[in-house]
Amino acid sequence: MSHSYDVIVIGLGGMGSAAACHIAARGQRVLGLERFGPAHSLGASHGGSRIYRQSYAEGPEYVPLLLRARELWDRLGVDADTEVFTQTGGIVVGHADSPMVAGSLHSAREWGLAHELLDAAEIRSRFSTFSPADDDIAFYERQAGVVRPELTVAAHLRLAERRGAELRFNEPATRWEALPGGGVRVITGGGTATADRLVIAPGAWAHRLLPDLSVPLRVERRATYWFSPKGGVAPFGISHHPVYVWETSGGGEMYGFPALDGADGGVKVGFHYGGAAADPDHLDREVHPAEVEEMQVFLRSRIPALAAGRFLRGTVCTYTLTPDEHFVVSSHPEHSQVIVACGFSGHGFKFVPVIGEILADLAIDGTTHHPISLFDASRSPTGAQP
């Protein structure tokens, strides 16, 4: 390999596949490089399902991106003839002053998003699978739903190739360099390629390709679990059981989904806290009995049918976290022809199509109309702007 392109994209997971798709759609000559196979299960873009929600507790600044993402999820489904998004409604359960409930309510009010607040009795009446404490409340939004990570990545890759992108799998980029006269050079095990611009979306391998970012990145191992509920999956179907986030008294979160794939598929749950630091090249991919037991204990008083059900399987993925848990999506601090997208901190997949659009904007035009100042790669390690 020794060719020149308009744009090279390193990493073809959720963000990189979307970037390749959007950049190729604008007539650019694109080379995409991926260290594994297409739509693989070795990073962060797998596991069958991800939550999409609009009333974003993590900050109202995210809401415009989420509204645009929903438009692009729908467009992707049509363009790729694949159901990548299913609207199910969603709830956040906790106390009235808990960060997720209060934050969701704040974003909804700031942006005028339709929502409801439910007390414990209303939660039990509307959603029979849930058993909240008497002092729990829920924030409910009808627009929430499920996005499918593997199907999304595969769809973006198909469309990218259809639009002329050259995609190379099992060919990791070992290093890159900005050229003195402009442009970039990327070195892989298969050779060298040059381009006018470079997009780096490396997931858990960001520290290898972006070691000098001012925003430090920490990779953590996270497990997810599927249970066959006692009494069957019917009460957990998408017309009865929403996506949800359930806050713990210690400030952590458990999340879960409806039964998406029938009786054999089970019901997926996971914790959004407590991961151990990990090396993505030497990740413990076994889900251990003690981890399953911890989840069952948490479920016992909240979703009893799952706690009493049969554990079916588990899987392990990676979170790449920034200290403030906001993303890194911007031009490289020292090289304007290099665009970085990393540190999605376990809540980024719902943004995949709009991040792809933003990366195309930055790579082609050098700017974007989307609000991304929160994600500047030059911000301090604590998240303050330079």
Side-chain angles (χ1 to χ4, degrees), residues 182-326:
V184 293
R185 179 183 293 117
V186 176
I187 296 89
T188 78
T192 301
T194 59
D196 296 330
R197 296 166 299 280
L198 172 64
V199 173
I200 306 178
W205 289 265
H207 63 292
R208 306 277 171 82
L209 291 170
L210 298 165
D212 298 325
L213 282 185
S214 62
V215 181
L217 302 172
R218 171 184 166 90
V219 177
E220 291 186 357
R221 172 190 177 277
R222 302 291 174 100
T224 51
Y225 315 83
W226 283 259
F227 292 91
S228 177
K230 184 178 181 180
V233 299
F236 291 83
I238 60 174
S239 60
H240 307 293
H241 184 83
V243 296
Y244 62 91
V245 177
W246 202 311
E247 289 195 275
T248 70
S249 58
E253 302 154 23
M254 187 265 285
Y255 62 90
F257 299 84
L260 298 170
D261 301 306
D264 294 337
V267 177
K268 178 185 170 183
V269 293
F271 287 123
H272 186 67
Y273 67 89
D279 178 343
D281 288 321
H282 301 92
L283 191 66
D284 177 6
R285 297 191 176 276
E286 180 182 355
V287 177
H288 301 280
E291 295 176 298
V292 178
E293 183 180 4
E294 180 187 14
M295 175 57 73
Q296 289 174 314
V297 168
F298 188 89
L299 290 169
R300 199 165 292 148
S301 63
R302 296 169 175 87
I303 311 179
L306 280 188
R310 179 168 55 91
F311 172 66
L312 296 177
R313 67 188 184 280
T315 191
V316 169
C317 69
T318 55
Y319 279 20
T320 304
L321 296 127
T322 63
D324 57 15
E325 298 193 8
H326 296 310

Side-chain angles (χ1 to χ4, degrees), residues 293-370:
E293 183 180 4
E294 180 187 14
M295 175 57 73
Q296 289 174 314
V297 168
F298 188 89
L299 290 169
R300 199 165 292 148
S301 63
R302 296 169 175 87
I303 311 179
L306 280 188
R310 179 168 55 91
F311 172 66
L312 296 177
R313 67 188 184 280
T315 191
V316 169
C317 69
T318 55
Y319 279 20
T320 304
L321 296 127
T322 63
D324 57 15
E325 298 193 8
H326 296 310
F327 312 151
V328 177
V329 181
S330 76
S331 297
H332 190 283
E334 298 177 9
H335 308 290
S336 62
Q337 71 270 47
V338 178
I339 313 304
V340 298
C342 58
F344 289 94
S345 300
H347 66 110
F349 200 89
K350 59 182 71 65
F351 296 88
V352 155
V354 71
I355 295 296
E357 183 172 68
I358 290 166
L359 295 174
D361 290 344
L362 295 176
I364 297 170
D365 303 324
T367 187
T368 181
H369 71 278
H370 290 294

Side-chain angles (χ1 to χ4, degrees), residues 39-75:
H40 61 82
S41 62
L42 299 173
S45 298
H46 66 101
S49 55
R50 292 289 188 276
I51 291 175
Y52 170 86
R53 48 194 169 89
Q54 292 182 346
S55 300
Y56 218 52
E58 291 83 349
E61 304 93 335
Y62 286 90
V63 173
L65 300 178
L66 288 161
L67 297 178
R68 177 57 177 162
R70 175 60 192 273
E71 295 174 353
L72 293 173
W73 284 116
D74 291 343
R75 182 187 299 176

